[in-house]
């Protein structure tokens, strides 16, 4: 019994706390910061329409116990614009790794405040953005490939210090929870159980980027294959992603699923953020190798651009005089 308990304890400590290179969390941070920057910029054209005092929701909705938003204090235009600017600076700070923890806090607070100011215009992607920002607050995301790293140890910028990966593990678990929750929610509806859900989704023209071919929406067989196939794939992603052998295959299928959905249906930033979450499963050594390989390739391109071409041979003065003399002789003759 003691041996089994010791093994469980050792496995638990290894999973959560055995130090790993920070290459993976650095990649997640950079991509997340880029997506968060795009998300914040996308809010600008309708900023006051959705969140301002004279917009579509002049009065903020009632919040439950313990819920809060900075826009609950004031929804005046200067406050809304100021919060947007701070959120944008935080997103850029996360992306480049400048004051990373503080930047992640700014993104989390900003996104949370906007979401609770007008929750009726957002979707699951916006909630995932807030969740990932929260995880990054407690992560060692600024330990590598960041301005923070450059300022602390410039000569060791391309190193990846070892840190406990528990926040990365939370992101990985989050991915499984999302698929489990999505699968459970879908199974509560009759359309998913009778195999027609995808056909109905493909008929909603308001959310489609392109017109759906009729053979997809009218075929009972294709509708059932797509519907039940989606359920099976989500179950596989929730479970088999933890198997190292099957992980690359199920993640590749997941990428295909999300890219195809984003290509045909307007789902906001959900696809980008789910694929960002996929990056949490890249092994640290693989991430490190890819980063250093990209760095080496960039250096080779720079050397190639700077390398001078072959020297141009110019005729000597003696040769030029000889050629002129020969030309004069030909003319005289």
């Amino acid at each position: 019994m003691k041996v089994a308990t010791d093994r469980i304890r050792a496995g638990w400590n290894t999973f959560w706390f055995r130090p790993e290179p920070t290459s993976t969390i650095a990649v997640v941070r950079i991509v997340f910061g880029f997506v968060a920057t795009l998300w914040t910029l996308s809010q600008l054209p309708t900023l006051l329409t959705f969140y301002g005092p004279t917009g579509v929701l002049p009065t903020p909705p009632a919040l439950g116990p313990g819920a809060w938003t900075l826009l609950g204090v004031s929804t005046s235009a200067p406050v809304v614009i100021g919060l947007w600017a701070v959120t944008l600076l935080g997103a850029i700070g996360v992306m480049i790794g400048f004051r990373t923890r503080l930047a992640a806090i700014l993104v989390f607070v900003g996104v949370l405040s906007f979401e609770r100011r007008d929750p009726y215009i957002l979707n699951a992607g916006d909630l995932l953005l807030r969740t990932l920002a929260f995880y990054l607050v407690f992560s060692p995301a600024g330990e590598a490939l960041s301005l923070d790293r450059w300022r602390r140890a410039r000569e060791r910028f391309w190193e990846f210090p070892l840190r406990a990966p528990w926040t990365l593990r939370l992101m990985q678990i989050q991915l499984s929870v999302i698929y489990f929750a999505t699968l459970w929610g879908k199974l509560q509806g009759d359309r998913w159980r009778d195999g027609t859900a995808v056909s109905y989704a493909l008929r909603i023209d308001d959310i489609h980027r392109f017109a759906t071919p009729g053979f997809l929406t009218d075929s009972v067989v294709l509708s059932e294959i797509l519907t039940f196939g989606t359920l099976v794939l989500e179950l596989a992603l929730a479970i088999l992603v933890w198997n190292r052998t099957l992980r690359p295959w199920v993640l590749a299928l997941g990428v295909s699923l999300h890219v195809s959905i984003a290509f045909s249906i307007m789902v906001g930033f959900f696809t980008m953020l789910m694929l960002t979450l996929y990056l949490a499963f890249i092994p640290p050594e693989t991430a490190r190798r890819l980063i250093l390989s990209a760095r080496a390739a960039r250096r080779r391109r720079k050397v190639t651009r700077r390398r001078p071409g072959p020297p141009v041979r110019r005729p000597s003065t003696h040769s030029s005089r000889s050629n002129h003399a020969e030309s004069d002789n030909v003319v005289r003759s």
Side-chain angles (χ1 to χ4, degrees), residues 30-41:
I30 293 170
V31 176
F32 171 83
F34 176 72
V35 176
T37 301
L38 293 181
W39 182 91
T40 310
L41 290 173

Side-chain angles (χ1 to χ4, degrees), residues 50-64:
F50 288 151
Y51 307 110
T54 59
V56 295
L57 192 66
T59 303
L63 300 177

